[in-house]
Amino acid sequence: MSFEALGLHTSIVKAVSVAGYEKPTPVQEQAVPAGIAGRDLLVSSQTGSGKTAAFMLPALHKFASEEPAPAGRTPAQEAQAAKARGERVRFKAAQPKMLVLTPTRELALQVTQATEQYTAFMRRIRAVSILGGMPYPKQMQLLAKNPEILVATPGRLIDHMESGKIDFSQLEILVLDEADRMLDMGFIDDIEKIVAATPDTRQTMLFSATLDGVVGNMARRITKDPQVIQIMSATNRHENITQKVHFVDDLSHKNRLLDHLLRDETMDQAVVFTATKRDADMIADRLNIAGFAAAALHGDMHQGARNRTLDGMRRGQVRVLVATDVAARGIDVPTITHVVNYDLPKFPEDYVHRIGRTGRAGRNGTAVSLVNHAEGMNVKRIERFTKQTIPVDVVIGFEPKRSAPARTSARTGAGWKPGDGRNAGKPGQRSFSKPNATGSREGGGFRSEGQRPAREGGYRGSNPRSADGARRAFGDR
Ligand code: AMP
């Protein structure tokens, strides 16, 4: 299947070819024709699957096929003319044709950049990002150009809507990107408000890692007779990513093992995930002192600093990025070879997003979790969510003093018990990895004996918004 065969406008086919795309990804193969046909879409596919083009290309095809609008003045030009006539200048609300809602600023910027690539050979189509953290005057200037496409985080968008800067009466296409994530971050009310301000005639495309539960209910409420597309590609199953767990005894053991792993000669660039912003800073400092080109990335940093850090990563100046979950979402740097979970994520979904930072654009990657013995249950929950077993690995010279837990199948095991020694690493034992080797030992899930099965969803905590207080503040406004 080629991009021409999807029925896309020639200017778009040319742009994706210049972007180096040889053929559509599975999600694009299904979503583009349905999108062109004007269908509402509910798509379950993950970051890295080519989902941005899956919603953007059919939208751009629609705009490319429309008659060009009569050449009128943009709101900015009208304001200038009014000023010249000595009249009081009144801000005219922007009237976008397409709105893409994303959970984070990074993802919004990425979508905007991708759109600029895809529109390189089209008549002028403007895409702008409306994000929390960006100065308001700068955003007013962008809105005054009356862009056709707005890519926005929900909170800041609401601010502009409430102050009359945006009018959605002409909106044709609404996209919710990573909808599950937006709901996790507590944006449901904002999303409902935004959707209610758009015309019923709109085409709605919703992308989410899952279409179950709350997100599924919302999805069905805001779409009409949607085409449901579920993509389970090798990338979605992360078959190109070698996953492993290393058990550690304490912080000192964890830090020594981290340093060792980062010196692995197969490691080109790594993202190390921490639970808190403070830890991200502290570990980045410690790694710098140890001689690694490391930088922190988290929500307390200004947008400019975050962009500079990511540019440094893209240019290869930063080898180790120490990041929190929200800050790292949407990072698309294909040269990242390793992801290290210094701390396990709070939500199993985050594990999937984290490891998806490596193994991008058709490459292979390695994802290592450094796990305290007390966290075995959390590994189990991740395994249940991903329906995959994560093998336990031991590096010679870095063996945990305590045995690893005994395990059973990921699907059936409901918990774990302290190990019986079968999986434990013992110095010199031949079946364990040598330092820097990638081999791993297969295990099953964790076995529970006399322990209550893990409650599905119990991992999430009762209040997702406050479970990670940084999220709301970081992702928006
Ligand atoms: P996304 O899932 O939209 O974040 O895309 C992940 C990465 O895949 C981005 O770097 C895209 O530029 C790239 N990509 C998207 N579609 C294709 C394609 N058809 N062929 C090759 N790369 C692609």
Side-chain angles (χ1 to χ4, degrees):
M1 172 79 76
S2 66
F3 280 102
E4 284 96 333
L6 293 182
L8 287 163
H9 198 270
T10 49
S11 61
I12 300 171
V13 173
K14 187 170 169 190
V16 291
S17 155
V18 169
Y21 300 1
E22 285 168 13
K23 60 183 179 58
T25 64
V27 67
Q28 292 162 4
E29 260 182 36
Q30 293 194 48
V32 171
I36 289 177
R39 293 285 304 270
D40 280 3
L41 302 181
L42 294 187
V43 185
S44 117
S45 81
Q46 278 153 5
T47 173
S49 59
K51 66 185 171 53
T52 311
F55 61 74
M56 200 44 88
L57 301 187
L60 295 175
H61 173 85
K62 184 167 196 259
F63 300 147
S65 315
E66 283 171 355
E67 288 291 312
R73 288 175 172 151
T74 65
Q77 288 164 336
E78 269 178 27
Q80 224 168 15
K83 208 169 172 182
R85 291 193 300 270
E87 292 169 11
R88 206 168 139 244
V89 178
R90 296 186 63 199
F91 190 94
K92 191 167 170 224
Q95 293 187 319
K97 296 208 277 189
M98 178 178 189
L99 170 65
V100 182
L101 287 177
T102 71
T104 65
R105 303 173 200 172
E106 272 73 20
L107 187 57
L109 289 171
Q110 235 181 73
V111 170
T112 309
Q113 278 162 10
T115 309
E116 281 162 7
Q117 266 190 315
Y118 305 148
T119 54
F121 302 100
M122 286 175 70
R123 72 183 160 76
R124 194 93 186 97
I125 293 269
R126 259 173 298 234
V128 306
S129 315
I130 297 297
L131 312 170
M134 196 192 261
Y136 276 88
K138 167 88 185 144
Q139 293 196 331
M140 302 283 282
Q141 276 172 15
L142 293 174
L143 290 174
K145 292 189 174 132
N146 200 20
E148 287 79 6
I149 302 172
L150 286 190
V151 186
T153 50
R156 181 58 73 92
L157 186 73
I158 295 258
D159 289 350
H160 286 296
M161 283 165 60
E162 284 174 350
S163 59
K165 303 295 182 300
I166 302 173
D167 162 14
F168 284 127
S169 62
Q170 304 303 310
L171 196 86
E172 296 172 27
I173 301 172
L174 171 66
V175 176
L176 278 78
D177 194 5
E178 299 196 1
D180 53 329
R181 197 75 203 144
M182 287 195 277
L183 297 192
D184 272 352
M185 290 166 74
F187 286 134
I188 183 121
D189 293 343
D190 289 351
I191 292 172
E192 301 270 5
K193 212 177 212 174
I194 293 164
V195 172
T198 64
D200 277 348
T201 50
R202 67 173 190 269
Q203 179 182 12
T204 307
M205 303 189 230
L206 181 142
F207 288 69
S208 177
T210 165
L211 295 175
D212 301 334
V214 187
V215 74
N217 291 340
M218 183 189 73
R220 275 164 256 285
R221 251 195 344 267
I222 66 171
T223 53
K224 288 197 195 87
D225 183 27
Q227 177 156 338
V228 180
I229 299 173
Q230 309 243 17
I231 300 291
M232 272 305 282
S233 65
T235 313
N236 282 38
R237 291 193 301 270
H238 295 297
E239 282 170 3
N240 58 333
I241 300 172
T242 305
Q243 301 174 55
K244 32 186 154 171
V245 161
H246 289 302
F247 279 94
V248 294
D249 296 318
D250 52 29
L251 210 57
S252 150
H253 185 195
K254 195 187 254 196
N255 285 333
R256 283 186 288 115
L257 187 52
L258 174 68
D259 287 15
H260 172 78
L261 294 171
L262 294 179
R263 288 185 207 284
D264 188 314
E265 62 210 19
T266 63
M267 198 217 75
D268 195 358
Q269 284 177 299
V271 184
V272 176
F273 282 95
T274 62
T276 67
K277 303 170 202 174
R278 194 161 160 264
D279 279 353
D281 278 333
M282 273 173 24
I283 292 167
D285 285 348
R286 195 182 62 70
L287 290 174
N288 269 308
I289 292 167
F292 296 99
L297 186 80
H298 57 68
D300 278 353
M301 292 161 62
H302 288 297
Q303 190 64 42
R306 277 156 51 178
N307 291 346
R308 278 194 298 280
T309 303
L310 281 175
D311 279 350
M313 193 77 180
R314 281 191 198 98
R315 285 200 297 268
Q317 294 157 341
V318 174
R319 276 192 75 221
V320 183
L321 192 67
V322 190
T324 54
D325 279 304
V326 177
R329 264 189 96 79
I331 292 175
D332 184 18
V333 181
T335 44
I336 294 171
T337 50
H338 286 63
V339 165
V340 180
N341 290 315
Y342 184 87
D343 297 310
L344 281 179
K346 276 200 180 81
F347 311 116
E349 301 93 293
D350 283 336
Y351 176 84
V352 175
H353 284 287
R354 286 179 176 193
I355 69 170
R357 298 310 107 207
T358 184
R360 294 180 79 80
R363 301 178 194 219
N364 293 325
T366 301
V368 180
S369 299
L370 306 182
V371 178
N372 199 293
H373 291 272
E375 297 174 307
M377 185 62 100
N378 292 350
V379 176
K380 179 73 200 91
R381 283 169 183 152
I382 291 167
E383 291 182 326
R384 279 187 168 191
F385 181 76
T386 61
K387 298 192 171 55
Q388 286 177 334
T389 300
I390 311 174
V392 176
D393 195 21
V394 180
V395 179
I396 289 180
F398 296 88
E399 301 84 355
K401 288 194 194 86
R402 269 181 65 186
S403 306
R407 320 180 82 193
T408 57
S409 130
R411 282 166 197 271
T412 55
W416 70 289
K417 63 170 189 175
D420 54 10
R422 276 176 295 157
N423 285 348
K426 291 192 180 67
Q429 199 162 332
R430 260 184 292 151
S431 57
F432 295 134
S433 311
K434 292 195 172 63
N436 291 338
T438 52
S440 57
R441 301 185 68 202
E442 277 303 328
F446 293 100
R447 179 184 209 105
S448 164
E449 273 175 25
Q451 228 175 347
R452 266 195 311 148
R455 193 161 53 85
E456 206 61 67
Y459 193 28
R460 177 179 292 273
S462 57
N463 181 355
R465 198 191 290 208
S466 62
D468 180 354
R471 284 185 168 160
R472 176 69 199 229
F474 173 76
D476 215 24
R477 283 199 169 99

